[in-house]
C-alpha cells in the first residue's frame, strides 16, 4: 500500500488541500465563516439546486430508458448481441467533450434538428439530460443487466405457478433481488451527473451551471479561490456520502444473493411481447446512442469532403501554437504514460486490498480510491499549478504533469477491474507455491499474474480510454504548444466561425474513433468473470 498511498497523498490530497487552504486561510486565520457567506448567496444556491435536481432527473430518466435494455441483455439471446453490447458501451468511454459536441451537432444551432424542423434544444435543460442518458446508459445495462443475468429464472417461474401474474412475479421476486444493483447503478449515475463538467460546459452555456462548472468559472474567470474552495468542500462531502452508499450497496449485493451461471439464463425471444421489447431497445439504441455520433461524423464533413480534416494540419497562428492535428499524437503519448502509471498504482492497490488478512485501514482505502472520480477535476488541475511549484516537486514545466492528473482518474478503474479477479484466486495456490520455496514476487509472477493477465489488459484499456478523454484537470495544465484532444476541441468550439466549428467536429470524430477502437479491443478481451465488475 505504500506506493498507492504516497501517490494519492502527493498528487490528490495535497493539491486539493492546497486549493482549500488558499481559499479559506489568509493572514494566519482560517475564515470558516466564508462557507456560510458563500452558501447563502442566491447565485450559489441556484447552482446547488440545479446541480442536484438535474442529477436526480438524469438518474431517473436513465433508469427508465436503460432498464429495458438491461433485461434484453440479461434474458434474451439474439444474433449480434456482442456487437450491440459494444455499441452500448462505447458512449461510456467517450470523453464528455465529445458527448457534448455530438449533441451540439444534433440539437444545437445549425444541428440536424434545427436544419430539418427548426428545433433547438441546446438552450434547454433537455439537451443536458439526454446527453447524460447517452453517457450513462451503459452503466445501468452493465450493472443491473450483469446481476439480472445471474438471477435464477426458476424463482420467478415458481411464483407464476403459484398464481402470480407476470408483472406480479417480477415485482415480488425479481425486483427485490435487483434492488442492490439498481441502487448501485443509480448512485453511480447520480455521481457522474452531479459532477458533470464537459457536457454542461458545452450544452449549458451561460444559462446552466453545475458545481463543477461553477468551480471552473470561479477559479479561471473570476479568480475567487475562497468561493471555489467552499464549493469544492461541498462537492467533496456530497461525493463522499454517495461513495459510502455505493460501497454499502455493493457489499449487500455480494453477500445476500445466490447466483447462477449467466450463460444458462438467456434464451431466444419468445412471443410478441419479447420481440416487441427487443425491437424497442434496438430503436432506442439507434436513436439515442448511434444517431448523435453519426451526426457528429456527418458534421465533420463539408460539401467538398474532408476540408475540415485538412484544415487541422495547418497552424492558424491564433489559439494554437501548433497545428490542431498535433493534439492527436500528444494525447496518445500522454494516455500511454498515464495508463502505465494507473496500472502500476491500481495493481498495487488491488493486490493489497485483495489480501484476506488486510486490516480495516487497508479496506477503508478502497473507498478513498474512488474519490478522484467525483472530486472536482478542475480543483485537482488548478491545485497542480499552485501546489507543485516548489522543489522537490516543481513540476509545472514538466510534461509528466498531464499524465499524472489523468492517472488519478484511471487508477480507480484499474482497481475496480482487477480486484474481483484477485479476490477469486484460491489462496491455497499461493500457499502451496510458498511452501515449495517461491518468494512473494515469484508467487505473484507464477500464480496471480497468469490468472489476472486478461483483467490487467482490460484495466489498461479502460485507463487508456479514460485518460485520453480527461478534460477537467487537463484544461488547466495542458500547455498551448502541447494541447490534448479534449482541450483542442473545447478551444475550437469557443471560437466563432464555420471553419472552427467544423474543425472541432473533425477532432471530436477522431477522438471518438480512438476511444471506440479501444473499447472494441476490450470487448474481445472480456471474460465472464470481469464483464460486470467495472
Amino acid at each position: 500500500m505504500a506506493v498507492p498511498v504516497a501517490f494519492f497523498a502527493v498528487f490528490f490530497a495535497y493539491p486539493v488541500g492546497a486549493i482549500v487552504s488558499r481559499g479559506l486561510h489568509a493572514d494566519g486565520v482560517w475564515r470558516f465563516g466564508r462557507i456560510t457567506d458563500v452558501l447563502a448567496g442566491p447565485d450559489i444556491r441556484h447552482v446547488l439546486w440545479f446541480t442536484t435536481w438535474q442529477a436526480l432527473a438524469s438518474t431517473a430518466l436513465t433508469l427508465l430508458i436503460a432498464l429495458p435494455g438491461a433485461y434484453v441483455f440479461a434474458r434474451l439471446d439474439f444474433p449480434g448481441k456482442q456487437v450491440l453490447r459494444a455499441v452500448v458501451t462505447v458512449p461510456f468511454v467517450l470523453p464528455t467533450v465529445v458527448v457534448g459536441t455530438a449533441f451540439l451537432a444534433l440539437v444545437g444551432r445549425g444541428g440536424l434538428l434545427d436544419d430539418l424542423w427548426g428545433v433547438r434544444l441546446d438552450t434547454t435543460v433537455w439537451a443536458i439530460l439526454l446527453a447524460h442518458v447517452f453517457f450513462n446508459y451503459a452503466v445501468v445495462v452493465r450493472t443491473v443487466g450483469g446481476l439480472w443475468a445471474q438471477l435464477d429464472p426458476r424463482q420467478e417461474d415458481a411464483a407464476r405457478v403459484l398464481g402470480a401474474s407476470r408483472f406480479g412475479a417480477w415485482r415480488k421476486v425479481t425486483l427485490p433481488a435487483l434492488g442492490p444493483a439498481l441502487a448501485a447503478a443509480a448512485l453511480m449515475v447520480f455521481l457522474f451527473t452531479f459532477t458533470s463538467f464537459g457536457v454542461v460546459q458545452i450544452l449549458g452555456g451561460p444559462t446552466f451551471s453545475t458545481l463543477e462548472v461553477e468551480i471552473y468559472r470561479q477559479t479561471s474567470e473570476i479568480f475567487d479561490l475562497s468561493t471555489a474552495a467552499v464549493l469544492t468542500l461541498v462537492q467533496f462531502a456530497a461525493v463522499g456520502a454517495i461513495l459510502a452508499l455505493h460501497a454499502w450497496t455493493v457489499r449487500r449485493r455480494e453477500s445476500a444473493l445466490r447466483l447462477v451461471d449467466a450463460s444458462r439464463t438467456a434464451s431466444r425471444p419468445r412471443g410478441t411481447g419479447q420481440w416487441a421489447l427487443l425491437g424497442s431497445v434496438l430503436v432506442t439504441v439507434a436513436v439515442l446512442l448511434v444517431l448523435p455520433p453519426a451526426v457528429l461524423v456527418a458534421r465533420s464533413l463539408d460539401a467538398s469532403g474532408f476540408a475540415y480534416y485538412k484544415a487541422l494540419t495547418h497552424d492558424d497562428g491564433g489559439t494554437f501554437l501548433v497545428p490542431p492535428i498535433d493534439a492527436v499524437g500528444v494525447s496518445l503519448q500522454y494516455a500511454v504514460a498515464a495508463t502505465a502509471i494507473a496500472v502500476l498504482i491500481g495493481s498495487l492497490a488491488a493486490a493489497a486490498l485483495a489480501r484476506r488478512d488486510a486490516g480495516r485501514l487497508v479496506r477503508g482505502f478502497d473507498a478513498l480510491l474512488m474519490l478522484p472520480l467525483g472530486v472536482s477535476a478542475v480543483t485537482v488541475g488548478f491545485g497542480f499549478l499552485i501546489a507543485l511549484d516548489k522543489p522537490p516537486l516543481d513540476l509545472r514545466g514538466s510534461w509528466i504533469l498531464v499524465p499524472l492528473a489523468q492517472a488519478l482518474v484511471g487508477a480507480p478503474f484499474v482497481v475496480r477491474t482487477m480486484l474481483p479477479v484477485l479476490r477469486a484466486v484460491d489462496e491455497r495456490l499461493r500457499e502451496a507455491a510458498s511452501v515449495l520455496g517461491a518468494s512473494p514476487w515469484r508467487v505473484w509472477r507464477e500464480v496471480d499474474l497468469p490468472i489476472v493477465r486478461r483483467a490487467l489488459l482490460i484495466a489498461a484499456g479502460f485507463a487508456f480510454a479514460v485518460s485520453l478523454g480527461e478534460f477537467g484537470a487537463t484544461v488547466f495544465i495542458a500547455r498551448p504548444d502541447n494541447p490534448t484532444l479534449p482541450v483542442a476541441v473545447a478551444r475550437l468550439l469557443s471560437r466563432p466561425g464555420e471553419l472552427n466549428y467544423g474543425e472541432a467536429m473533425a477532432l471530436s470524430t477522431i477522438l471518438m474513433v480512438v476511444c471506440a477502437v479501444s473499447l472494441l479491443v476490450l470487448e474481445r478481451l472480456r471474460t465472464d468473470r470481469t464483464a460486470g465488475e467495472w
Side-chain angles (χ1 to χ4, degrees):
M1 290 298 296
V3 175
V5 168
F7 177 81
F8 279 91
V10 173
F11 298 112
F12 177 68
Y14 178 47
V16 172
I19 286 288
V20 174
S21 175
R22 292 209 179 189
L24 299 180
H25 188 269
D27 301 324
V29 178
W30 285 95
R31 299 179 298 168
F32 291 109
R34 180 62 178 159
I35 298 177
T36 305
D37 296 338
V38 170
L39 297 181
D43 292 340
I44 299 302
R45 287 205 305 268
H46 175 74
V47 170
L48 291 172
W49 167 245
F50 176 75
T51 301
T52 304
W53 88 256
Q54 67 82 23
L56 290 171
S58 297
T59 303
L61 192 61
T62 303
L63 289 174
L64 179 65
I65 295 176
L67 279 178
Y71 172 83
V72 165
F73 279 102
R75 292 295 195 226
L76 301 184
D77 189 17
F78 51 92
K81 183 176 180 179
Q82 294 304 320
V83 175
L84 187 65
R85 188 192 300 274
V87 171
V88 166
T89 312
V90 163
F92 181 73
V93 300
L94 289 182
T96 55
V97 171
V98 173
V99 175
T101 307
F103 274 82
L104 193 64
L106 178 64
V107 302
R109 184 181 62 183
L112 180 64
L113 296 185
D114 191 16
D115 288 347
L116 293 179
W117 299 295
V119 176
R120 286 183 57 189
L121 297 178
D122 59 325
T123 57
T124 71
V125 73
W126 279 106
I128 296 174
L129 297 182
L130 290 175
H132 284 163
V133 175
F134 170 89
F135 185 77
N136 293 293
Y137 186 93
V139 175
V140 176
V141 169
R142 290 277 190 156
T143 305
V144 179
L147 178 62
W148 207 335
Q150 293 178 280
L151 295 180
D152 192 344
R154 292 175 297 182
Q155 296 177 341
E156 194 171 316
D157 294 339
R160 297 284 309 279
V161 170
L162 294 174
S165 64
R166 182 180 295 274
F167 177 75
W170 179 84
R171 180 173 59 86
K172 294 181 179 180
V173 177
T174 304
L175 184 59
L178 290 176
L182 282 169
L187 286 169
M188 291 307 296
V189 173
F190 184 85
L191 173 64
F192 290 138
T193 53
F194 187 84
T195 59
S196 181
F197 176 59
V199 168
V200 180
Q201 179 80 350
I202 292 175
L203 296 176
T207 307
F208 305 108
S209 179
T210 57
L211 266 175
E212 185 81 349
V213 174
E214 186 64 20
I215 291 172
Y216 175 78
R217 192 175 74 89
Q218 295 289 338
T219 302
S220 64
E221 299 178 9
I222 303 177
F223 303 107
D224 187 350
L225 286 186
S226 62
T227 299
V230 171
L231 297 181
T232 297
L233 290 175
V234 171
Q235 185 163 306
F236 188 84
V239 168
I242 295 169
L243 291 177
L245 281 173
H246 181 263
W248 178 77
T249 57
V250 169
R251 286 196 301 269
R252 181 183 169 195
R253 186 182 88 176
E254 290 177 346
S255 61
L257 297 174
R258 289 186 176 181
L259 307 178
V260 299
D261 185 0
S263 63
R264 296 184 297 175
T265 61
S267 60
R268 302 282 292 182
R270 297 188 301 271
T272 305
Q274 288 190 347
W275 280 108
L277 181 61
L278 176 59
S280 67
V281 169
L282 293 176
V283 171
T284 300
V285 170
V287 173
L288 183 64
L289 304 185
V290 177
L291 181 60
V295 173
L296 174 63
V297 174
R299 295 294 172 179
S300 71
L301 303 171
D302 69 344
S304 60
F306 297 93
Y308 295 140
Y309 290 91
K310 295 177 182 177
L312 295 175
T313 62
H314 302 293
D315 179 14
D316 62 359
T319 302
F320 299 99
L321 301 180
V322 295
I325 195 64
D326 287 3
V328 177
V330 171
S331 290
L332 291 175
Q333 293 172 16
Y334 284 158
V336 169
T339 300
I341 298 171
V343 168
L344 174 63
I345 300 300
S347 299
L348 291 172
L353 293 169
R355 290 180 61 89
R356 289 168 175 79
D357 58 349
R360 183 175 299 177
L361 182 62
V362 173
R363 291 194 300 269
F365 187 64
D366 188 12
L368 297 179
L369 288 171
M370 298 293 290
L371 284 178
L373 294 180
V375 172
S376 171
V378 170
T379 301
V380 174
F382 193 67
F384 270 33
L385 291 181
I386 68 172
L388 305 179
D389 62 343
K390 298 176 182 178
L393 288 174
D394 187 2
L395 300 177
R396 286 191 301 179
S398 174
W399 66 272
I400 197 64
L401 206 60
V402 174
L404 287 172
Q406 295 172 342
L408 280 172
V409 182
F413 285 91
V414 176
V415 175
R416 293 267 66 84
T417 304
M418 293 189 63
L419 190 56
V421 183
L422 284 171
R423 283 175 172 166
V425 177
D426 193 338
E427 186 66 25
R428 292 173 296 180
L429 295 176
R430 300 188 180 108
E431 293 171 353
S434 298
V435 169
L436 294 173
S439 64
W441 163 247
R442 189 172 182 185
V443 170
W444 161 256
R445 181 165 55 88
E446 301 288 349
V447 177
D448 292 70
L449 185 58
I451 297 175
V452 304
R453 183 183 291 114
R454 185 162 294 181
L456 184 63
L457 293 173
I458 292 174
F462 272 118
F464 179 82
V466 170
S467 301
L468 199 64
E470 205 287 320
F471 177 61
T474 310
V475 70
F476 276 102
I477 56 182
R479 296 184 300 185
D481 58 338
N482 283 303
T484 62
L485 277 169
V487 172
V489 170
R491 289 178 182 173
L492 286 169
L493 285 175
S494 67
R495 301 169 63 185
E498 181 181 351
L499 179 60
N500 291 318
Y501 181 82
E503 288 185 67
M505 297 294 160
L507 267 184
S508 296
T509 300
I510 293 173
L511 182 53
M512 178 179 66
V513 170
V514 174
C515 291
V517 169
S518 301
L519 192 277
L520 292 175
V521 172
L522 291 183
E523 280 298 312
R524 292 187 62 86
L525 294 173
R526 188 179 61 88
T527 63
D528 290 338
R529 177 172 290 179
T530 59
E533 299 298 339
W534 57 272

